[in-house]
Amino acid sequence: MISEKISQQVKNLIQQEFKTGDVILSYQDSGTPGVMTPIFIHSKEDIGKILINSLCVNNLAVYLSSFFQSEYKDIKQKGRIIITAKPCDAKSVVQMISDEQIPNEKILLIVFECDGVTTSRLIKEKVNQEFSKIDIKDGKYIVTLQDKQSQSIQAEEVRVSKCKDGSLCDLPTYYDYYFVGTEKSSKIDQHSKVMTETPLLQERLSRTEFKKIVDTELEKCIRCYACRNICPACFCSEKCIIDKPKLAVPFLDKEVNLANNILFHMIRFNHVAPNCTECGECERVCPQEIKLSIFYHYFNRLVKKEFGFVSGKSDLERQKLLNYRLGEELV
Amino acid sequence: MAKQDLIYLFLCRADKRKKLLTEIEKKFPNIQTINIHCAGRFNPILAFKLLQQKAAGVILLGCDTGDCHYREGNLFSERRIFLARETLHGFGMDRNRLQALWYNPKQIAPVLESLETFTKYISNLASKGDSI
Amino acid sequence: MEKNRLNKKDLGNFLTILKKHYSNIISPGLDDKNSPVFRLINSAQEIVLDKITPIKPPKEFLFPQSEELMTYDKNDSYTPTRIVEKTKFAIFGARPCDIKAIEYNNLFFGNKFNDPYYQSKRENLLLIGISCEFPSSSCFCTTMGISPVESSGSDLFLTNLGTDYLVEWVSDIGKAIQQFFAEILTEAKPEDEKMKIKIEETTRSKLVEEINLTEIKGKIIQTYDKEDLWKNYSEVCIACGACTFNCPTCTCFDVQEKMESLENGTRYRTWDSCQFYDFCLHASGHNPRGTKMQRLRQRILHKYQYSIDQLNQWSCTGCGRCIRSCPVGINTRSILKDIKEELHG
Amino acid sequence: MDNFQDNQYIPFPSVLLDVREENKTIKRFLVQLPDHLRQQKIIPGQFFQLSAIGYGEIPISVSDFDPEAGTIMFCIANTGSITTKFHQLSKDQLIGLRGPFGNGFPVTSFLGKNIVLLAGGIGLVPLRSVVSYFFRNPDAFNKIEILYGAKSTSDIIFRNEIKQWRLKPKTSFKMTIDNPEKGWSGNTGFVSNFLLSSYSEKSEILFAEDPEFKNTKVLVVGPPAMYKSVFNALSDIHFPDKEVLLSLENRMKCGIGKCGHCNCGSKYVCLDGPIFSWFELKNLPKEY
């Protein structure tokens, strides 16, 4: 569990580091039980609102590119951006730096140790009903149900899928501060290879069987573009090919049907394949609960196997797909 | 033309390859040719869109490695095509529906031969009931 | 209003009789991931009423996400053809929040100009409501003045009494079909009404909070210029359309054309979200709502102010779907609380 | 509801009688009205939804309407994807027509009034319908003054009409271009200059004819930037805001208040507008 101590230490550090003009990106309580929401802090008085705990599942890296892009002119940044991140989120930040989306010197990356986060959706599934309150105590989630009864859940029972093994938990190659000290829950098994070695559906099933799964999953898509907009690797913002309004015939019809939905997800994954750090945000935010992990796991392993590239783990090397030098060996 | 056997051919500098074009038109009525300036300008999402909506197969025909008019255009494309083909596979489609051929512009026979194999392969898929 | 009891064991028979008159029955069921979803059902076993209301509202059956408006073809001198829905269908198990949303949509689509596509479906709909016993932690219907057992707006309304359902025949259409079910219905008992009140109390106690909006009704526009208030939320917003697409009263749509070939094609409409950057982008490049702050403010003010000006109704029913679906946990209730605080100093 | 005409979403195919180039970006389209629209009253300032069939629909305001001949005229500037398609159309081709929508200028209430028309650029298009209404009904007003500002000489539209307007009785016409140009001897500067009391060619109606503003209406149509300078000038001379009428443009899809794209606060530009008074505009959010 991310301890209160870390939360306090991070706050103290931010107090010291904060200068006028800086923006702090962190978490606060949203008011909905079990849901944390990101917070942008512009003034020193608001630093007290920061709350970091094991419900902080959002990947704050997604907000970084907006500071340096055209659409959101209202938040063009002069000072630094102080961002608090879990080690997995820090990989997205590093990847964005190496994609030249954000300048390195404008970021103060504060990483805190984490041993698994959870979402209110997972807790609801676990207790099989709605709840009205969550307290975090002694490595357990104390859930107050709607009938005022309470139930306690071990942290490791409700970890989100990316926390099943430690492949994203190692220290990023670039950071400014790193806080250690989780408490009272079993650590994530760093040696477990659940994520990297479980056979992919694409390999396990025959193509027609797999196609059926793809069809049933993507049929549900309502194209709200939550997956695209929450993705730190999808940094085209309003320039995205999918909603380019100036084209005479839009590249992707707005009509929602299976063929168009598949096309949308094909374009998205093809574009983010070399940048995806498997943060799992797209799957988490999908209101239709589409299992997008079957795709991003596939692409990540593919890029790793064929190009030897693990996004978010190398600071300087830009992806090979974007870069070619004469004489270099192909695929 | 029905979707199951329509094939789109992206041809690098087609306007300069009249002889090849007439041969293709004569031999393969189901192939639609699209002129592009360099194989390096080929965007895989065009292939996705065609496969999803209109066509059963897409081929990119570019110059041999090292022959590129723009020096390295086709090398970029080769990597992109690789990823695009794997994308098709990742979404449960046959990756061979998208092909890239690299050929010497002076030799027409081997091109026609590979187009022949490709059309056969696509119509074979259709007869097996493998729809996109 | 006449009332009856229906034994739960007879629900199957109820549906069989219903099916004779309404060929398609839509009800909350489970999808492949065991989440509740409104879908076509064939038997009483598929109906799931003991979960929270599905994330996707039943508006899609009246106002589909993509709907053909007309087709055209060159040989026919561009004469458009019109499509009218004729299948009768029933929505079973809609909660009061969804019923009220459909009521609002009826009002909206019938206002000034009639929307024939919506109305033709609405005329074929039988709306069967049910008392809400399973609110989610995001629900706030009582804030919007809707009781969890409110029956108005539905055609018939069920309340779970344990072994039986209390059946209220609310609308004229509901009263007209009462006779078909005579065999399986029994008389309602006087204590049933008390049970209903008790259910209401229990459900109310399960809600996380209730905000009293009577004082600020009609005054929310005064917060228009309070940019700091909106920015608190819009900075976090990622400008996706999850809240609007899952909202039961969001009805904005885009009209697009699709060419099948050069000769023929269709014009269709499809849901659009005011949160998207290109929602009101002019061809000149000027964008009246170019920032996320303006777009978030537009959504909230439309729900809580503009609809009051236009139709004298909130266009929010407190179903909590925007809170449930928000990827970044923006809480509409706390926006309302902030607005209230802003207005009262 | 099976009545075909009840469905407001369906356009009527109409023949293009004439397509002419006004300037390098604007083309003029003369359209034959479908039969059922011939009897309908079309008020100046209203708009139609025009479809380039196969590509999409755009709202275009009426620039002239001839009830006897049953023709209607639109002027379309080439700015977006659909307008580009319109510019590729030619005589005798079909377009889709749906409307008229919106409130239009309250022309019947202009009886005995002085009218000042301020047009900036393509804003002359909707105002032209007002002008031709007046020429068709010469008793409907007292006096009109047309003040027109174009970006440059090559952007001037309705050149032939302007020549006629200059000759009409009870009418005065003034124009200006933004920057001095070779071969242009007229006024330069923005159209709002006509409203300045220090300007040499200031508006006759506002400064000489009716300096108390008792019997005058001002009609303004132009780009958003022009509204700003015009309103500044009008508030300097304390012109009453209820007597100023203007036309708003917003992205629209349906034209009948359903699609939700064009709203400006609780008003829909397609239903409650596009003509608003300056007074109403002050109470609307700045979302236009």
Side-chain angles (χ1 to χ4, degrees):
Chain A
M1 285 249 164
I2 298 165
S3 61
E4 262 173 57
K5 212 171 82 198
I6 287 189
S7 180
Q8 197 51 48
Q9 282 170 341
V10 170
K11 253 194 264 186
N12 291 345
L13 178 77
I14 290 173
Q15 261 320 338
Q16 289 165 25
E17 285 280 351
F18 183 81
K19 286 188 220 67
T20 341
D22 290 355
V23 174
I24 304 160
L25 266 175
S26 193
Y27 303 93
Q28 69 168 342
D29 188 31
S30 74
T32 315
V35 180
M36 302 295 282
T37 180
I39 182 174
F40 284 53
I41 295 176
H42 303 273
S43 69
K44 213 157 189 169
E45 300 89 70
D46 292 340
I47 292 176
K49 287 183 187 166
I50 294 177
L51 182 62
I52 293 170
N53 60 28
S54 294
L55 289 161
C56 297
V57 65
N58 285 59
N59 184 350
L60 300 181
V62 65
Y63 296 108
L64 287 175
S65 60
S66 66
F67 282 103
F68 305 98
Q69 282 185 353
S70 59
E71 194 215 325
Y72 314 111
K73 286 183 193 85
D74 52 332
I75 47 170
K76 266 260 160 83
Q77 190 50 31
K78 289 201 185 68
R80 285 178 310 172
I81 294 160
I82 302 173
I83 175 170
T84 56
K86 306 185 287 291
C88 44
D89 304 344
K91 293 198 174 58
S92 298
V93 180
V94 171
Q95 179 57 30
M96 287 172 93
I97 293 172
S98 75
D99 279 337
E100 295 172 14
Q101 286 302 306
I102 47 175
N104 197 338
E105 64 279 3
K106 285 269 194 184
I107 305 284
L108 186 85
L109 181 55
I110 301 173
V111 186
F112 50 88
E113 195 189 346
C114 153
D115 58 353
V117 282
T118 187
T119 64
S120 70
R121 192 195 273 177
L122 284 173
I123 295 176
K124 278 173 193 173
E125 269 167 29
K126 180 78 194 166
V127 298
N128 202 18
Q129 55 184 302
E130 294 284 314
F131 55 81
S132 52
K133 206 166 158 236
I134 284 193
D135 293 301
I136 300 173
K137 223 177 183 179
D138 298 333
K140 282 185 196 127
Y141 300 105
I142 316 288
V143 181
T144 312
L145 302 175
Q146 283 182 332
D147 53 5
K148 310 284 183 275
Q149 308 243 318
S150 66
Q151 202 171 329
S152 76
I153 302 167
Q154 291 291 334
E156 43 287 4
E157 290 175 76
V158 285
R159 275 178 191 151
V160 299
S161 60
K162 69 174 167 184
C163 304
K164 293 266 157 65
D165 71 13
S167 58
L168 292 172
C169 295
D170 51 343
L171 212 56
T173 47
Y174 165 82
Y175 57 88
D176 292 287
Y177 294 96
Y178 185 65
F179 288 93
V180 261
T182 52
E183 66 179 20
K184 286 181 181 158
S185 61
S186 61
K187 294 246 174 322
I188 291 173
D189 183 6
Q190 300 275 351
H191 304 291
S192 151
K193 296 267 166 67
V194 183
M195 288 238 277
T196 44
E197 281 179 3
T198 318
L200 296 164
L201 286 180
Q202 280 92 334
E203 291 160 6
R204 221 169 58 205
L205 302 175
S206 80
R207 201 160 51 75
T208 35
E209 280 173 326
F210 178 66
K211 179 83 176 112
K212 247 181 229 143
I213 292 181
V214 173
D215 287 357
T216 46
E217 287 293 326
L218 297 186
E219 191 128 52
K220 292 184 285 189
C221 178
I222 55 170
R223 299 247 296 279
C224 65
Y225 300 136
C227 51
R228 180 193 69 179
N229 291 14
I230 200 77
C231 178
C234 267
F235 39 62
C236 296
S237 97
E238 84 272 27
K239 292 177 228 66
C240 180
I241 177 97
I242 286 153
D243 46 33
K244 249 198 176 147
K246 282 258 171 183
L247 291 176
V249 179
F251 188 83
L252 180 63
D253 274 334
K254 279 197 171 180
E255 188 181 18
V256 173
N257 56 28
L258 180 62
N260 286 344
N261 292 352
I262 294 180
L263 184 55
F264 160 60
H265 289 280
M266 271 168 92
I267 294 173
R268 195 178 92 77
F269 280 110
N270 185 63
H271 280 171
V272 302
N275 311 31
C276 171
T277 55
E278 294 188 292
C279 72
E281 287 286 273
C282 47
E283 184 176 290
R284 174 184 71 85
V285 302
C286 181
Q288 300 303 106
E289 299 179 28
I290 299 170
K291 263 189 97 60
L292 292 168
S293 56
I294 55 179
F295 303 114
Y296 65 72
H297 283 320
Y298 168 81
F299 281 100
N300 244 44
R301 281 194 216 173
L302 180 81
V303 173
K304 189 177 178 186
K305 194 172 130 218
E306 302 294 338
F307 297 97
F309 180 78
V310 183
S311 66
K313 300 218 171 168
S314 77
D315 190 0
L316 298 168
E317 183 193 8
R318 296 198 69 204
Q319 314 94 315
K320 280 195 172 162
L321 275 167
L322 303 178
N323 221 345
Y324 174 78
R325 282 178 201 89
L326 270 183
E328 198 179 325
E329 224 173 279
L330 286 170
V331 184
Chain B
M1 189 163 292
K3 183 186 167 180
Q4 58 256 32
D5 46 24
L6 187 62
I7 291 167
Y8 277 85
L9 168 70
F10 285 83
L11 185 53
C12 165
R13 293 196 290 160
D15 46 343
K16 300 248 164 55
R17 312 206 197 289
K18 292 268 156 57
K19 205 172 152 201
L20 176 65
L21 267 180
T22 39
E23 284 289 315
I24 292 173
E25 261 167 42
K26 212 163 64 194
K27 257 189 122 175
F28 308 102
N30 59 337
I31 292 186
Q32 286 246 4
T33 320
I34 296 170
N35 178 19
I36 49 175
H37 264 288
C38 171
R41 290 297 297 139
F42 174 72
N43 195 336
I45 63 174
L46 291 172
F48 299 157
K49 181 165 179 165
L50 286 173
L51 289 176
Q52 216 36 259
Q53 297 184 341
K54 281 208 157 69
V58 174
I59 329 170
L60 171 67
L61 205 50
C63 311
D64 229 348
T65 319
D67 279 357
C68 180
H69 183 74
Y70 304 95
R71 289 181 71 218
E72 56 202 49
N74 50 4
L75 300 175
F76 270 104
S77 211
E78 197 161 338
R79 282 191 177 156
R80 272 191 224 134
I81 291 275
F82 171 79
L83 188 65
R85 279 163 55 96
E86 295 307 315
T87 308
L88 291 182
H89 181 69
F91 281 78
M93 284 168 231
D94 191 340
R95 52 162 86 83
N96 291 328
R97 284 184 190 272
L98 173 60
Q99 292 270 359
L101 302 176
W102 311 105
Y103 78 109
N104 184 341
K106 290 195 181 93
Q107 295 168 329
I108 289 177
V111 176
L112 294 179
E113 205 173 288
S114 10
L115 287 181
E116 181 73 53
T117 6
F118 186 68
T119 18
K120 273 209 185 113
Y121 183 81
I122 295 292
S123 58
N124 198 14
L125 277 182
S127 64
K128 273 196 284 180
D130 190 333
S131 65
I132 300 170
Chain C
M1 203 182 336
E2 281 192 65
K3 286 173 192 174
N4 287 102
R5 267 187 183 216
L6 171 73
N7 195 299
K8 277 187 178 171
K9 281 180 198 143
D10 283 329
L11 192 59
N13 294 331
F14 179 83
L15 291 181
T16 324
I17 300 169
L18 191 64
K19 250 193 152 150
K20 281 183 201 152
H21 305 278
Y22 292 89
S23 47
N24 290 341
I25 297 172
I26 286 142
S27 157
L30 292 181
D31 66 359
D32 52 343
K33 294 194 186 65
N34 273 339
S35 301
V37 61
F38 276 106
R39 62 177 173 86
L40 210 63
I41 54 128
N42 296 314
S43 70
Q45 284 79 43
E46 291 173 46
I47 296 178
V48 176
L49 297 172
D50 59 350
K51 295 230 173 198
I52 58 170
T53 190
I55 184 76
K56 212 172 164 193
K59 82 168 168 186
E60 59 174 318
F61 299 102
L62 294 165
F63 175 51
Q65 177 151 23
S66 294
E67 181 176 27
E68 201 169 289
L69 293 180
M70 58 174 224
T71 56
Y72 58 86
D73 79 85
K74 205 164 201 168
N75 306 328
D76 217 346
S77 313
Y78 294 135
T79 307
T81 50
R82 199 159 65 89
I83 308 115
V84 174
E85 189 73 35
K86 285 258 158 64
T87 343
K88 288 208 157 211
F89 70 108
I91 293 178
F92 181 92
R95 315 269 171 111
C97 50
D98 288 337
I99 296 168
K100 283 284 168 193
I102 290 174
E103 208 179 20
Y104 173 83
N105 288 349
N106 292 341
L107 210 60
F108 177 81
F109 278 116
N111 186 29
K112 288 187 185 154
F113 286 95
N114 199 13
D115 187 302
Y117 301 93
Y118 181 86
Q119 296 297 355
S120 63
K121 292 190 191 65
R122 178 65 187 100
E123 279 163 13
N124 289 314
L125 167 71
L126 181 79
L127 192 55
I128 304 171
I130 189 158
S131 295
C132 179
E133 289 177 89
F134 300 92
S136 79
S137 55
S138 327
C139 286
F140 57 104
C141 55
T142 53
T143 301
M144 305 321 298
I146 295 164
S147 152
V149 297
E150 194 166 327
S151 60
S152 69
S154 61
D155 292 318
L156 50 148
F157 195 79
L158 309 180
T159 307
N160 180 10
L161 302 173
T163 52
D164 287 350
Y165 283 117
L166 173 69
V167 189
E168 294 166 60
W169 310 91
V170 186
S171 72
D172 292 340
I173 302 170
K175 280 169 191 153
I177 62 163
Q178 185 183 8
Q179 42 165 327
F180 303 133
F181 304 98
E183 279 178 23
I184 49 173
L185 295 172
T186 51
E187 277 303 305
K189 296 196 176 96
E191 67 263 28
D192 293 352
E193 199 56 32
K194 270 184 206 147
M195 274 289 276
K196 204 179 157 186
I197 293 168
K198 213 177 149 203
I199 288 174
E200 182 181 2
E201 276 167 14
T202 332
T203 312
R204 271 176 192 270
S205 74
K206 285 179 179 177
L207 296 176
V208 173
E209 60 189 331
E210 183 180 333
I211 309 154
N212 187 354
L213 296 181
T214 44
E215 285 166 43
I216 58 167
K217 189 173 180 180
K219 289 190 218 153
I220 296 176
I221 191 70
Q222 290 165 17
T223 57
Y224 185 86
D225 295 322
K226 308 279 190 280
E227 299 204 348
D228 285 345
L229 186 154
W230 302 112
K231 264 193 185 153
N232 271 341
Y233 296 95
S234 70
E235 275 180 329
V236 175
C237 175
I238 54 166
C240 72
C243 48
T244 48
F245 283 6
N246 289 316
C247 175
T249 61
C250 269
T251 48
C252 289
F253 59 83
D254 193 4
V255 180
Q256 292 282 332
E257 236 138 290
K258 184 175 64 172
M259 266 199 274
E260 306 294 345
S261 69
L262 285 173
E263 270 79 41
N264 58 53
T266 54
R267 177 179 291 178
Y268 61 93
R269 67 174 175 194
T270 170
W271 295 354
D272 204 353
S273 168
C274 55
Q275 303 303 299
F276 292 157
Y277 175 77
D278 61 351
F279 185 72
C280 35
L281 182 67
H282 291 193
S284 62
H286 168 65
N287 196 340
R289 290 194 283 268
T291 62
K292 285 194 288 185
M293 188 274 286
Q294 289 168 320
R295 299 201 287 272
L296 183 103
R297 180 175 64 191
Q298 156 70 17
R299 185 172 75 83
I300 299 294
L301 287 183
H302 189 186
K303 296 282 166 223
Y304 302 106
Q305 176 70 45
Y306 303 155
S307 65
I308 294 209
D309 299 346
Q310 287 159 358
L311 301 166
N312 199 19
Q313 268 200 26
W314 304 107
S315 59
C316 170
T317 61
C319 68
R321 286 185 175 96
C322 47
I323 306 175
R324 265 164 80 189
S325 59
C326 185
V328 294
I330 293 176
N331 188 343
T332 313
R333 287 176 303 207
S334 53
I335 301 182
L336 286 175
K337 275 192 282 186
D338 281 5
I339 290 174
K340 205 177 163 186
E341 200 176 304
E342 185 77 46
L343 288 176
H344 290 294
Chain D
M1 225 159 22
D2 283 301
N3 186 358
F4 192 60
Q5 294 186 3
D6 257 10
N7 190 342
Q8 290 287 345
Y9 290 102
I10 301 297
F12 291 90
S14 319
V15 191
L16 282 176
L17 296 176
D18 189 22
V19 180
R20 234 184 296 162
E21 209 161 283
E22 277 297 327
N23 67 23
K24 56 184 187 293
T25 54
I26 298 169
K27 269 190 180 179
R28 171 202 289 219
F29 297 81
L30 195 67
V31 181
Q32 179 74 52
L33 271 182
D35 289 337
H36 77 282
L37 278 176
R38 289 210 183 184
Q39 273 73 48
Q40 197 152 351
K41 227 166 110 193
I42 297 173
I43 310 165
Q46 282 189 314
F47 66 93
F48 276 80
Q49 289 276 5
L50 307 190
S51 322
I53 295 171
Y55 295 94
E57 213 172 31
I58 38 166
I60 297 289
S61 52
V62 179
S63 79
D64 198 4
F65 166 56
D66 189 344
E68 281 109 57
T71 57
I72 190 161
M73 193 171 86
F74 301 99
C75 287
I76 302 175
N78 186 353
T79 44
S81 54
I82 298 160
T83 46
T84 312
K85 288 290 156 207
F86 267 101
H87 275 234
Q88 290 163 3
L89 292 176
S90 57
K91 205 182 153 193
D92 295 335
Q93 281 187 293
L94 286 171
I95 60 165
L97 201 63
R98 178 158 98 71
F101 299 124
N103 53 2
F105 288 106
V107 277
T108 45
S109 70
F110 291 169
L111 201 72
K113 299 239 176 201
N114 299 316
I115 310 293
V116 179
L117 301 169
L118 272 156
I122 197 167
L124 190 60
V125 172
L127 285 182
R128 197 202 128 134
S129 59
V130 184
V131 177
S132 31
Y133 172 84
F134 287 151
F135 292 155
R136 240 175 244 128
N137 309 283
D139 305 326
F141 66 103
N142 185 28
K143 220 174 162 188
I144 57 172
E145 185 172 33
I146 305 159
L147 308 170
Y148 171 45
K151 207 177 246 170
S152 67
T153 46
S154 60
D155 288 308
I156 297 170
I157 51 172
F158 300 142
R159 281 168 191 270
N160 290 337
E161 284 80 358
I162 288 172
K163 271 181 211 153
Q164 292 166 19
W165 294 349
R166 288 183 192 269
L167 303 173
K168 292 268 180 183
K170 302 205 288 183
T171 308
S172 67
F173 180 87
K174 288 193 176 89
M175 76 171 293
T176 172
I177 60 169
D178 284 0
N179 294 308
E181 231 173 88
K182 244 187 202 167
W184 174 257
S185 55
N187 302 311
T188 54
F190 295 123
V191 70
S192 54
N193 286 354
F194 293 123
L195 304 176
L196 303 176
S197 53
S198 55
Y199 194 61
S200 56
E201 286 225 39
K202 60 193 173 201
S203 157
E204 284 158 28
I205 289 180
L206 290 178
F207 294 100
E209 178 88 17
D210 184 20
E212 305 274 286
F213 313 133
K214 290 236 162 62
N215 200 25
T216 304
K217 289 241 176 206
V218 174
L219 273 50
V220 198
V221 186
M226 175 193 138
Y227 285 139
K228 215 176 164 186
S229 60
V230 166
F231 293 154
N232 282 340
L234 284 173
S235 56
D236 282 350
I237 59 171
H238 306 292
F239 192 86
D241 52 10
K242 280 184 185 156
E243 302 300 313
V244 181
L245 296 174
L246 53 103
S247 171
L248 287 187
E249 296 176 335
N250 256 0
R251 186 184 164 115
M252 337 176 155
K253 288 290 177 182
C254 68
I256 55 175
K258 301 280 181 265
C259 76
H261 282 74
C262 68
N263 87 306
C264 213
S266 48
K267 301 274 186 221
Y268 286 110
V269 173
C270 62
L271 282 183
D272 309 294
I275 311 302
F276 292 94
S277 75
W278 184 22
F279 173 74
E280 283 174 296
L281 192 76
K282 279 177 177 170
N283 295 320
L284 285 182
K286 301 266 172 300
E287 288 175 2
Y288 42 83

